Amino acid sequence: MNEILILEIGDQKYGIDFHDPFFFLIRDLLYESTWEVFAADLTNKAHVERIHKLQEIENKTGRISGSLFLPISTLEIKSYFKELDLNPQKLKHATPEGFYELAQDEAESEEIDEAMNLMDFVIETWPSYAKAYELKGTFLIEKGAQEEGIALLKKSIEIDPTLAEAYSELGQAYYNLEDYDKAIEYWKKELEYTPYDKFAYFMIANAYRKQGKIGSAIETLKKFVSEDKKSILARYELMDLYNQMEEYELAKEYEDQILKMTPYYPGDIEPWAKVLFKNERYEEVIRVVEDHIQKYPIDAHFKILLVVPYAKSGRYNEAREILNEFKDQKDWYYYGKKELFESNLSKEELDLCGIR
């Protein structure tokens, strides 16, 4: 490729061509931002000289991130490799982790097809990279191709039996197919490698619930509670399960534990608040929720939990302001909480809050 511009830095001039940005990108994606390792993989003298030139430029201008040259399609990546006569399979120190993360970014931008194209390229280039099969399998399941997705997830754990993400996704896939035995099997396998994975414990317990195996669900959550002393949600679930079994004294033991706790995890705030509402400890909920929102404004959605204690404290105007805010901006969230309001507020209080 002919030079397309001359870059002057002080009294030094550098020829910059169309392929220079690609070298920054490859350095960051395949070599964890390290020129030296990239250069060690190259046999083409012109490629090595290009890296030396780009290093000199960075020494004078500061670090240049390869992300500046995104977005880039898989087709373009393949095209650049071909134009440069650069075979990624022969780059022995290159790792595809950067491409894996790039595919995740594409998926977050709802570019699932492009993310899968990128994983196809990774599988073609690094066929023993298990995470590529895992990620593509996850994408296929999201698109409704359950059988094909499950096959790729199983392939990923054939290559790497410790790949916890694949066990997690297989558990979810079989759960969605209502094959609860297999879902439980894979989530338990996941716990062998990530023993403190809260999600797996809760999903195993939920799968047992679906099967009507309440005792097994309880044992699963009791094991989790023994390992996580701060989890209110697990205790809340145990309280609910014991109530279902009409074991009211055991349910009360977990309720009493919750009443002595303060939420540590954001996801514990709502179940904690429900227990405190039942016990008419409204001021405590106001204090904890207001303090949490002040510290973590990103969790402003917890404001809706203040409607009940505000109403109980006669602060109806503040309760209505919160409700109006959610009706205008997050009506789906508001309507999802109507049962919470109706089970804790009298008809008069509901009317004064404007809840219909």
Side-chain angles (χ1 to χ4, degrees), residues 149-165:
I150 286 172
L152 283 178
L153 288 168
K154 289 182 176 179
K155 174 70 174 176
S156 74
I157 56 177
E158 285 177 16
I159 297 169
D160 181 1
T162 70
L163 191 57
E165 301 97 314

Side-chain angles (χ1 to χ4, degrees), residues 35-66:
W35 283 124
E36 289 75 15
V37 182
F38 188 3
D41 273 356
L42 300 175
T43 56
N44 185 311
K45 184 178 178 182
H47 293 340
V48 176
E49 289 175 352
R50 184 190 297 272
I51 286 179
H52 291 160
K53 174 188 70 176
L54 299 177
Q55 283 181 298
E56 282 186 30
I57 291 172
E58 281 195 316
N59 288 337
K60 294 180 179 181
T61 63
R63 192 72 170 173
I64 300 172
S65 172

